[in-house]
PDB file of all heavy atoms in Angstrom:
ATOM      1  N   THR A   1      43.996 -21.506  61.485  1.00 93.00           N
ATOM      2  CA  THR A   1      45.411 -21.161  61.629  1.00 93.00           C
ATOM      3  C   THR A   1      46.131 -21.040  60.288  1.00 93.00           C
ATOM      4  O   THR A   1      47.357 -21.010  60.242  1.00 93.00           O
ATOM      5  CB  THR A   1      46.134 -22.214  62.504  1.00 93.00           C
ATOM      6  OG1 THR A   1      45.909 -23.521  61.955  1.00 93.00           O
ATOM      7  CG2 THR A   1      45.622 -22.164  63.935  1.00 93.00           C
ATOM      8  N   GLY A   2      45.365 -21.003  59.198  1.00 95.00           N
ATOM      9  CA  GLY A   2      45.938 -20.600  57.915  1.00 95.00           C
ATOM     10  C   GLY A   2      46.536 -21.680  57.038  1.00 95.00           C
ATOM     11  O   GLY A   2      47.383 -21.377  56.180  1.00 95.00           O
ATOM     12  N   THR A   3      46.076 -22.924  57.183  1.00 95.00           N
ATOM     13  CA  THR A   3      46.638 -23.992  56.341  1.00 95.00           C
ATOM     14  C   THR A   3      46.431 -23.697  54.864  1.00 95.00           C
ATOM     15  O   THR A   3      47.349 -23.850  54.048  1.00 95.00           O
ATOM     16  CB  THR A   3      46.012 -25.352  56.700  1.00 95.00           C
ATOM     17  OG1 THR A   3      46.235 -25.629  58.087  1.00 95.00           O
ATOM     18  CG2 THR A   3      46.619 -26.468  55.860  1.00 95.00           C
ATOM     19  N   THR A   4      45.227 -23.262  54.494  1.00 97.00           N
ATOM     20  CA  THR A   4      44.951 -22.959  53.089  1.00 97.00           C
ATOM     21  C   THR A   4      45.878 -21.875  52.566  1.00 97.00           C
ATOM     22  O   THR A   4      46.434 -21.979  51.468  1.00 97.00           O
ATOM     23  CB  THR A   4      43.486 -22.533  52.907  1.00 97.00           C
ATOM     24  OG1 THR A   4      42.634 -23.585  53.371  1.00 97.00           O
ATOM     25  CG2 THR A   4      43.175 -22.247  51.452  1.00 97.00           C
ATOM     26  N   GLY A   5      46.070 -20.837  53.339  1.00 96.00           N
ATOM     27  CA  GLY A   5      46.944 -19.740  52.914  1.00 96.00           C
ATOM     28  C   GLY A   5      48.389 -20.161  52.811  1.00 96.00           C
ATOM     29  O   GLY A   5      49.109 -19.757  51.885  1.00 96.00           O
ATOM     30  N   ALA A   6      48.851 -20.983  53.754  1.00 95.00           N
ATOM     31  CA  ALA A   6      50.244 -21.444  53.732  1.00 95.00           C
ATOM     32  C   ALA A   6      50.513 -22.277  52.482  1.00 95.00           C
ATOM     33  O   ALA A   6      51.538 -22.106  51.812  1.00 95.00           O
ATOM     34  CB  ALA A   6      50.545 -22.252  54.992  1.00 95.00           C
ATOM     35  N   VAL A   7      49.581 -23.166  52.158  1.00 95.00           N
ATOM     36  CA  VAL A   7      49.758 -24.015  50.974  1.00 95.00           C
ATOM     37  C   VAL A   7      49.640 -23.190  49.695  1.00 95.00           C
ATOM     38  O   VAL A   7      50.416 -23.361  48.753  1.00 95.00           O
ATOM     39  CB  VAL A   7      48.733 -25.165  50.979  1.00 95.00           C
ATOM     40  CG1 VAL A   7      48.794 -25.952  49.672  1.00 95.00           C
ATOM     41  CG2 VAL A   7      48.985 -26.085  52.163  1.00 95.00           C
ATOM     42  N   ALA A   8      48.657 -22.285  49.657  1.00 96.00           N
ATOM     43  CA  ALA A   8      48.490 -21.439  48.470  1.00 96.00           C
ATOM     44  C   ALA A   8      49.740 -20.606  48.213  1.00 96.00           C
ATOM     45  O   ALA A   8      50.196 -20.478  47.070  1.00 96.00           O
ATOM     46  CB  ALA A   8      47.269 -20.541  48.646  1.00 96.00           C
ATOM     47  N   LYS A   9      50.314 -20.033  49.257  1.00 95.00           N
ATOM     48  CA  LYS A   9      51.520 -19.228  49.081  1.00 95.00           C
ATOM     49  C   LYS A   9      52.679 -20.086  48.599  1.00 95.00           C
ATOM     50  O   LYS A   9      53.430 -19.683  47.698  1.00 95.00           O
ATOM     51  CB  LYS A   9      51.890 -18.539  50.401  1.00 95.00           C
ATOM     52  CG  LYS A   9      53.124 -17.629  50.269  1.00 95.00           C
ATOM     53  CD  LYS A   9      53.463 -16.938  51.582  1.00 95.00           C
ATOM     54  CE  LYS A   9      54.722 -16.092  51.440  1.00 95.00           C
ATOM     55  NZ  LYS A   9      55.089 -15.433  52.722  1.00 95.00           N
ATOM     56  N   ARG A  10      52.827 -21.280  49.169  1.00 93.00           N
ATOM     57  CA  ARG A  10      53.918 -22.165  48.744  1.00 93.00           C
ATOM     58  C   ARG A  10      53.766 -22.534  47.272  1.00 93.00           C
ATOM     59  O   ARG A  10      54.760 -22.655  46.553  1.00 93.00           O
ATOM     60  CB  ARG A  10      53.938 -23.419  49.619  1.00 93.00           C
ATOM     61  CG  ARG A  10      54.969 -24.447  49.199  1.00 93.00           C
ATOM     62  CD  ARG A  10      55.304 -25.402  50.340  1.00 93.00           C
ATOM     63  NE  ARG A  10      54.127 -26.033  50.888  1.00 93.00           N
ATOM     64  CZ  ARG A  10      53.587 -27.169  50.420  1.00 93.00           C
ATOM     65  NH1 ARG A  10      54.130 -27.758  49.367  1.00 93.00           N
ATOM     66  NH2 ARG A  10      52.540 -27.704  50.993  1.00 93.00           N
ATOM     67  N   LEU A  11      52.520 -22.700  46.811  1.00 93.00           N
ATOM     68  CA  LEU A  11      52.269 -23.058  45.411  1.00 93.00           C
ATOM     69  C   LEU A  11      52.124 -21.828  44.515  1.00 93.00           C
ATOM     70  O   LEU A  11      51.696 -21.939  43.362  1.00 93.00           O
ATOM     71  CB  LEU A  11      51.008 -23.926  45.325  1.00 93.00           C
ATOM     72  CG  LEU A  11      51.092 -25.278  46.048  1.00 93.00           C
ATOM     73  CD1 LEU A  11      49.764 -26.010  45.971  1.00 93.00           C
ATOM     74  CD2 LEU A  11      52.212 -26.131  45.464  1.00 93.00           C
ATOM     75  N   ASP A  12      52.464 -20.654  45.052  1.00 91.00           N
ATOM     76  CA  ASP A  12      52.475 -19.409  44.285  1.00 91.00           C
ATOM     77  C   ASP A  12      51.098 -19.048  43.743  1.00 91.00           C
ATOM     78  O   ASP A  12      50.955 -18.572  42.617  1.00 91.00           O
ATOM     79  CB  ASP A  12      53.486 -19.493  43.137  1.00 91.00           C
ATOM     80  CG  ASP A  12      53.931 -18.099  42.660  1.00 91.00           C
ATOM     81  OD1 ASP A  12      53.866 -17.165  43.472  1.00 91.00           O
ATOM     82  OD2 ASP A  12      54.313 -17.955  41.496  1.00 91.00           O
ATOM     83  N   LEU A  13      50.059 -19.262  44.573  1.00 94.00           N
ATOM     84  CA  LEU A  13      48.695 -18.851  44.244  1.00 94.00           C
ATOM     85  C   LEU A  13      48.278 -17.716  45.166  1.00 94.00           C
ATOM     86  O   LEU A  13      48.890 -17.462  46.204  1.00 94.00           O
ATOM     87  CB  LEU A  13      47.725 -20.026  44.410  1.00 94.00           C
ATOM     88  CG  LEU A  13      47.874 -21.187  43.424  1.00 94.00           C
ATOM     89  CD1 LEU A  13      47.031 -22.362  43.888  1.00 94.00           C
ATOM     90  CD2 LEU A  13      47.457 -20.774  42.032  1.00 94.00           C
ATOM     91  N   GLN A  14      47.204 -17.053  44.803  1.00 96.00           N
ATOM     92  CA  GLN A  14      46.660 -15.985  45.619  1.00 96.00           C
ATOM     93  C   GLN A  14      45.593 -16.546  46.555  1.00 96.00           C
ATOM     94  O   GLN A  14      44.906 -17.503  46.212  1.00 96.00           O
ATOM     95  CB  GLN A  14      46.046 -14.902  44.731  1.00 96.00           C
ATOM     96  CG  GLN A  14      47.014 -14.307  43.720  1.00 96.00           C
ATOM     97  CD  GLN A  14      46.327 -13.326  42.806  1.00 96.00           C
ATOM     98  OE1 GLN A  14      46.049 -12.196  43.182  1.00 96.00           O
ATOM     99  NE2 GLN A  14      46.034 -13.761  41.588  1.00 96.00           N
ATOM    100  N   PHE A  15      45.451 -15.933  47.721  1.00 97.00           N
ATOM    101  CA  PHE A  15      44.456 -16.426  48.666  1.00 97.00           C
ATOM    102  C   PHE A  15      43.782 -15.264  49.400  1.00 97.00           C
ATOM    103  O   PHE A  15      44.322 -14.155  49.488  1.00 97.00           O
ATOM    104  CB  PHE A  15      45.091 -17.376  49.692  1.00 97.00           C
ATOM    105  CG  PHE A  15      45.986 -16.680  50.697  1.00 97.00           C
ATOM    106  CD1 PHE A  15      45.478 -16.158  51.884  1.00 97.00           C
ATOM    107  CD2 PHE A  15      47.347 -16.530  50.451  1.00 97.00           C
ATOM    108  CE1 PHE A  15      46.295 -15.512  52.796  1.00 97.00           C
ATOM    109  CE2 PHE A  15      48.183 -15.882  51.350  1.00 97.00           C
ATOM    110  CZ  PHE A  15      47.645 -15.369  52.533  1.00 97.00           C
ATOM    111  N   ILE A  16      42.603 -15.564  49.908  1.00 98.00           N
ATOM    112  CA  ILE A  16      41.884 -14.684  50.826  1.00 98.00           C
ATOM    113  C   ILE A  16      41.359 -15.563  51.944  1.00 98.00           C
ATOM    114  O   ILE A  16      40.719 -16.587  51.690  1.00 98.00           O
ATOM    115  CB  ILE A  16      40.715 -13.955  50.146  1.00 98.00           C
ATOM    116  CG1 ILE A  16      41.208 -13.063  49.008  1.00 98.00           C
ATOM    117  CG2 ILE A  16      39.933 -13.130  51.168  1.00 98.00           C
ATOM    118  CD1 ILE A  16      40.082 -12.474  48.175  1.00 98.00           C
ATOM    119  N   GLY A  17      41.636 -15.196  53.171  1.00 98.00           N
ATOM    120  CA  GLY A  17      41.128 -15.944  54.318  1.00 98.00           C
ATOM    121  C   GLY A  17      40.229 -15.071  55.175  1.00 98.00           C
ATOM    122  O   GLY A  17      40.488 -13.879  55.333  1.00 98.00           O
ATOM    123  N   ILE A  18      39.165 -15.674  55.700  1.00 97.00           N
ATOM    124  CA  ILE A  18      38.274 -14.980  56.628  1.00 97.00           C
ATOM    125  C   ILE A  18      38.265 -15.768  57.930  1.00 97.00           C
ATOM    126  O   ILE A  18      38.056 -16.979  57.925  1.00 97.00           O
ATOM    127  CB  ILE A  18      36.839 -14.868  56.066  1.00 97.00           C
ATOM    128  CG1 ILE A  18      36.839 -14.132  54.732  1.00 97.00           C
ATOM    129  CG2 ILE A  18      35.927 -14.176  57.075  1.00 97.00           C
ATOM    130  CD1 ILE A  18      35.479 -14.107  54.043  1.00 97.00           C
ATOM    131  N   GLU A  19      38.510 -15.092  59.038  1.00 96.00           N
ATOM    132  CA  GLU A  19      38.565 -15.771  60.333  1.00 96.00           C
ATOM    133  C   GLU A  19      38.039 -14.835  61.428  1.00 96.00           C
ATOM    134  O   GLU A  19      38.460 -13.684  61.510  1.00 96.00           O
ATOM    135  CB  GLU A  19      39.996 -16.202  60.642  1.00 96.00           C
ATOM    136  CG  GLU A  19      40.207 -16.822  62.006  1.00 96.00           C
ATOM    137  CD  GLU A  19      39.246 -17.968  62.280  1.00 96.00           C
ATOM    138  OE1 GLU A  19      39.145 -18.883  61.441  1.00 96.00           O
ATOM    139  OE2 GLU A  19      38.581 -17.926  63.343  1.00 96.00           O
ATOM    140  N   GLN A  20      37.135 -15.353  62.264  1.00 93.00           N
ATOM    141  CA  GLN A  20      36.522 -14.514  63.291  1.00 93.00           C
ATOM    142  C   GLN A  20      37.303 -14.481  64.605  1.00 93.00           C
ATOM    143  O   GLN A  20      37.141 -13.557  65.406  1.00 93.00           O
ATOM    144  CB  GLN A  20      35.095 -14.993  63.573  1.00 93.00           C
ATOM    145  CG  GLN A  20      34.996 -16.352  64.236  1.00 93.00           C
ATOM    146  CD  GLN A  20      33.570 -16.740  64.562  1.00 93.00           C
ATOM    147  OE1 GLN A  20      32.629 -16.050  64.180  1.00 93.00           O
ATOM    148  NE2 GLN A  20      33.398 -17.847  65.276  1.00 93.00           N
ATOM    149  N   GLU A  21      38.165 -15.475  64.831  1.00 93.00           N
ATOM    150  CA  GLU A  21      38.907 -15.527  66.084  1.00 93.00           C
ATOM    151  C   GLU A  21      40.235 -14.791  65.942  1.00 93.00           C
ATOM    152  O   GLU A  21      41.091 -15.173  65.142  1.00 93.00           O
ATOM    153  CB  GLU A  21      39.156 -16.986  66.494  1.00 93.00           C
ATOM    154  CG  GLU A  21      37.905 -17.825  66.677  1.00 93.00           C
ATOM    155  CD  GLU A  21      37.087 -17.388  67.878  1.00 93.00           C
ATOM    156  OE1 GLU A  21      37.694 -16.882  68.862  1.00 93.00           O
ATOM    157  OE2 GLU A  21      35.854 -17.535  67.841  1.00 93.00           O
ATOM    158  N   ALA A  22      40.421 -13.758  66.745  1.00 95.00           N
ATOM    159  CA  ALA A  22      41.631 -12.937  66.640  1.00 95.00           C
ATOM    160  C   ALA A  22      42.897 -13.745  66.905  1.00 95.00           C
ATOM    161  O   ALA A  22      43.939 -13.520  66.266  1.00 95.00           O
ATOM    162  CB  ALA A  22      41.550 -11.768  67.620  1.00 95.00           C
ATOM    163  N   SER A  23      42.835 -14.705  67.835  1.00 93.00           N
ATOM    164  CA  SER A  23      44.020 -15.505  68.149  1.00 93.00           C
ATOM    165  C   SER A  23      44.464 -16.331  66.940  1.00 93.00           C
ATOM    166  O   SER A  23      45.664 -16.480  66.684  1.00 93.00           O
ATOM    167  CB  SER A  23      43.735 -16.425  69.338  1.00 93.00           C
ATOM    168  OG  SER A  23      42.650 -17.305  69.051  1.00 93.00           O
ATOM    169  N   TYR A  24      43.496 -16.853  66.177  1.00 93.00           N
ATOM    170  CA  TYR A  24      43.843 -17.625  64.988  1.00 93.00           C
ATOM    171  C   TYR A  24      44.423 -16.728  63.899  1.00 93.00           C
ATOM    172  O   TYR A  24      45.333 -17.137  63.166  1.00 93.00           O
ATOM    173  CB  TYR A  24      42.620 -18.355  64.440  1.00 93.00           C
ATOM    174  CG  TYR A  24      42.054 -19.429  65.343  1.00 93.00           C
ATOM    175  CD1 TYR A  24      40.746 -19.863  65.200  1.00 93.00           C
ATOM    176  CD2 TYR A  24      42.828 -20.014  66.346  1.00 93.00           C
ATOM    177  CE1 TYR A  24      40.208 -20.854  66.021  1.00 93.00           C
ATOM    178  CE2 TYR A  24      42.306 -21.000  67.174  1.00 93.00           C
ATOM    179  CZ  TYR A  24      40.994 -21.413  67.007  1.00 93.00           C
ATOM    180  OH  TYR A  24      40.467 -22.384  67.816  1.00 93.00           O
ATOM    181  N   VAL A  25      43.908 -15.524  63.793  1.00 96.00           N
ATOM    182  CA  VAL A  25      44.428 -14.584  62.794  1.00 96.00           C
ATOM    183  C   VAL A  25      45.908 -14.311  63.047  1.00 96.00           C
ATOM    184  O   VAL A  25      46.726 -14.295  62.120  1.00 96.00           O
ATOM    185  CB  VAL A  25      43.617 -13.273  62.804  1.00 96.00           C
ATOM    186  CG1 VAL A  25      44.286 -12.222  61.903  1.00 96.00           C
ATOM    187  CG2 VAL A  25      42.182 -13.516  62.348  1.00 96.00           C
ATOM    188  N   LYS A  26      46.274 -14.113  64.310  1.00 96.00           N
ATOM    189  CA  LYS A  26      47.671 -13.842  64.657  1.00 96.00           C
ATOM    190  C   LYS A  26      48.563 -15.037  64.310  1.00 96.00           C
ATOM    191  O   LYS A  26      49.653 -14.881  63.752  1.00 96.00           O
ATOM    192  CB  LYS A  26      47.788 -13.519  66.146  1.00 96.00           C
ATOM    193  CG  LYS A  26      47.159 -12.192  66.540  1.00 96.00           C
ATOM    194  CD  LYS A  26      47.307 -11.947  68.036  1.00 96.00           C
ATOM    195  CE  LYS A  26      46.646 -10.632  68.448  1.00 96.00           C
ATOM    196  NZ  LYS A  26      46.744 -10.413  69.911  1.00 96.00           N
ATOM    197  N   ILE A  27      48.086 -16.233  64.641  1.00 95.00           N
ATOM    198  CA  ILE A  27      48.872 -17.434  64.351  1.00 95.00           C
ATOM    199  C   ILE A  27      49.043 -17.609  62.846  1.00 95.00           C
ATOM    200  O   ILE A  27      50.141 -17.884  62.344  1.00 95.00           O
ATOM    201  CB  ILE A  27      48.195 -18.675  64.964  1.00 95.00           C
ATOM    202  CG1 ILE A  27      48.229 -18.598  66.489  1.00 95.00           C
ATOM    203  CG2 ILE A  27      48.867 -19.957  64.475  1.00 95.00           C
ATOM    204  CD1 ILE A  27      47.366 -19.638  67.182  1.00 95.00           C
ATOM    205  N   ALA A  28      47.934 -17.464  62.108  1.00 95.00           N
ATOM    206  CA  ALA A  28      47.978 -17.639  60.654  1.00 95.00           C
ATOM    207  C   ALA A  28      48.899 -16.614  59.995  1.00 95.00           C
ATOM    208  O   ALA A  28      49.635 -16.936  59.054  1.00 95.00           O
ATOM    209  CB  ALA A  28      46.572 -17.537  60.075  1.00 95.00           C
ATOM    210  N   THR A  29      48.867 -15.394  60.488  1.00 96.00           N
ATOM    211  CA  THR A  29      49.714 -14.329  59.926  1.00 96.00           C
ATOM    212  C   THR A  29      51.187 -14.688  60.073  1.00 96.00           C
ATOM    213  O   THR A  29      51.974 -14.566  59.127  1.00 96.00           O
ATOM    214  CB  THR A  29      49.419 -12.989  60.613  1.00 96.00           C
ATOM    215  OG1 THR A  29      48.035 -12.653  60.421  1.00 96.00           O
ATOM    216  CG2 THR A  29      50.280 -11.882  60.037  1.00 96.00           C
ATOM    217  N   ARG A  30      51.582 -15.131  61.258  1.00 95.00           N
ATOM    218  CA  ARG A  30      52.975 -15.535  61.495  1.00 95.00           C
ATOM    219  C   ARG A  30      53.340 -16.745  60.634  1.00 95.00           C
ATOM    220  O   ARG A  30      54.434 -16.798  60.052  1.00 95.00           O
ATOM    221  CB  ARG A  30      53.188 -15.871  62.974  1.00 95.00           C
ATOM    222  CG  ARG A  30      53.085 -14.715  63.933  1.00 95.00           C
ATOM    223  CD  ARG A  30      53.732 -15.062  65.276  1.00 95.00           C
ATOM    224  NE  ARG A  30      53.160 -16.275  65.858  1.00 95.00           N
ATOM    225  CZ  ARG A  30      52.151 -16.289  66.718  1.00 95.00           C
ATOM    226  NH1 ARG A  30      51.577 -15.142  67.098  1.00 95.00           N
ATOM    227  NH2 ARG A  30      51.701 -17.417  67.228  1.00 95.00           N
ATOM    228  N   ARG A  31      52.447 -17.689  60.589  1.00 94.00           N
ATOM    229  CA  ARG A  31      52.715 -18.933  59.852  1.00 94.00           C
ATOM    230  C   ARG A  31      52.945 -18.665  58.364  1.00 94.00           C
ATOM    231  O   ARG A  31      53.901 -19.160  57.770  1.00 94.00           O
ATOM    232  CB  ARG A  31      51.536 -19.879  60.053  1.00 94.00           C
ATOM    233  CG  ARG A  31      51.636 -21.191  59.296  1.00 94.00           C
ATOM    234  CD  ARG A  31      50.366 -21.992  59.488  1.00 94.00           C
ATOM    235  NE  ARG A  31      50.424 -23.306  58.878  1.00 94.00           N
ATOM    236  CZ  ARG A  31      49.416 -24.161  58.867  1.00 94.00           C
ATOM    237  NH1 ARG A  31      48.260 -23.826  59.452  1.00 94.00           N
ATOM    238  NH2 ARG A  31      49.535 -25.346  58.282  1.00 94.00           N
ATOM    239  N   ILE A  32      52.074 -17.888  57.767  1.00 96.00           N
ATOM    240  CA  ILE A  32      52.159 -17.636  56.327  1.00 96.00           C
ATOM    241  C   ILE A  32      53.377 -16.774  55.993  1.00 96.00           C
ATOM    242  O   ILE A  32      54.007 -16.948  54.952  1.00 96.00           O
ATOM    243  CB  ILE A  32      50.852 -17.005  55.831  1.00 96.00           C
ATOM    244  CG1 ILE A  32      49.710 -18.021  55.979  1.00 96.00           C
ATOM    245  CG2 ILE A  32      50.963 -16.539  54.378  1.00 96.00           C
ATOM    246  CD1 ILE A  32      48.332 -17.441  55.777  1.00 96.00           C
ATOM    247  N   ALA A  33      53.719 -15.858  56.879  1.00 96.00           N
ATOM    248  CA  ALA A  33      54.889 -15.000  56.644  1.00 96.00           C
ATOM    249  C   ALA A  33      56.162 -15.820  56.543  1.00 96.00           C
ATOM    250  O   ALA A  33      57.119 -15.422  55.866  1.00 96.00           O
ATOM    251  CB  ALA A  33      55.010 -13.969  57.758  1.00 96.00           C
ATOM    252  N   ALA A  34      56.186 -16.974  57.181  1.00 95.00           N
ATOM    253  CA  ALA A  34      57.388 -17.810  57.180  1.00 95.00           C
ATOM    254  C   ALA A  34      57.478 -18.742  55.975  1.00 95.00           C
ATOM    255  O   ALA A  34      58.481 -19.447  55.800  1.00 95.00           O
ATOM    256  CB  ALA A  34      57.431 -18.642  58.460  1.00 95.00           C
ATOM    257  N   VAL A  35      56.442 -18.763  55.122  1.00 94.00           N
ATOM    258  CA  VAL A  35      56.412 -19.676  53.973  1.00 94.00           C
ATOM    259  C   VAL A  35      57.175 -19.078  52.799  1.00 94.00           C
ATOM    260  O   VAL A  35      57.003 -17.903  52.462  1.00 94.00           O
ATOM    261  CB  VAL A  35      54.955 -19.969  53.551  1.00 94.00           C
ATOM    262  CG1 VAL A  35      54.922 -20.767  52.247  1.00 94.00           C
ATOM    263  CG2 VAL A  35      54.230 -20.722  54.656  1.00 94.00           C
ATOM    264  N   THR A  36      58.010 -19.885  52.163  1.00 92.00           N
ATOM    265  CA  THR A  36      58.735 -19.464  50.956  1.00 92.00           C
ATOM    266  C   THR A  36      58.060 -20.093  49.742  1.00 92.00           C
ATOM    267  O   THR A  36      57.960 -21.322  49.656  1.00 92.00           O
ATOM    268  CB  THR A  36      60.199 -19.910  51.005  1.00 92.00           C
ATOM    269  OG1 THR A  36      60.826 -19.331  52.155  1.00 92.00           O
ATOM    270  CG2 THR A  36      60.941 -19.481  49.744  1.00 92.00           C
ATOM    271  N   PRO A  37      57.596 -19.281  48.782  1.00 90.00           N
ATOM    272  CA  PRO A  37      56.934 -19.851  47.604  1.00 90.00           C
ATOM    273  C   PRO A  37      57.902 -20.631  46.721  1.00 90.00           C
ATOM    274  O   PRO A  37      59.102 -20.363  46.698  1.00 90.00           O
ATOM    275  CB  PRO A  37      56.409 -18.609  46.857  1.00 90.00           C
ATOM    276  CG  PRO A  37      56.467 -17.488  47.841  1.00 90.00           C
ATOM    277  CD  PRO A  37      57.583 -17.817  48.777  1.00 90.00           C
ATOM    278  N   ILE A  38      57.362 -21.602  46.010  1.00 87.00           N
ATOM    279  CA  ILE A  38      58.126 -22.287  44.967  1.00 87.00           C
ATOM    280  C   ILE A  38      58.175 -21.341  43.781  1.00 87.00           C
ATOM    281  O   ILE A  38      57.145 -21.003  43.197  1.00 87.00           O
ATOM    282  CB  ILE A  38      57.451 -23.616  44.569  1.00 87.00           C
ATOM    283  CG1 ILE A  38      57.377 -24.555  45.773  1.00 87.00           C
ATOM    284  CG2 ILE A  38      58.190 -24.277  43.413  1.00 87.00           C
ATOM    285  CD1 ILE A  38      56.540 -25.793  45.535  1.00 87.00           C
TER     286      ILE A  38
END
């Protein structure tokens, strides 16, 4: 569900995530979009 991506974005780092479950991809996409970087 994108914990690594959410934290990386908040810390202003770049990330790449690989996920095979489509439902998790949708959740992670929404979650990360809502993160504001420092």
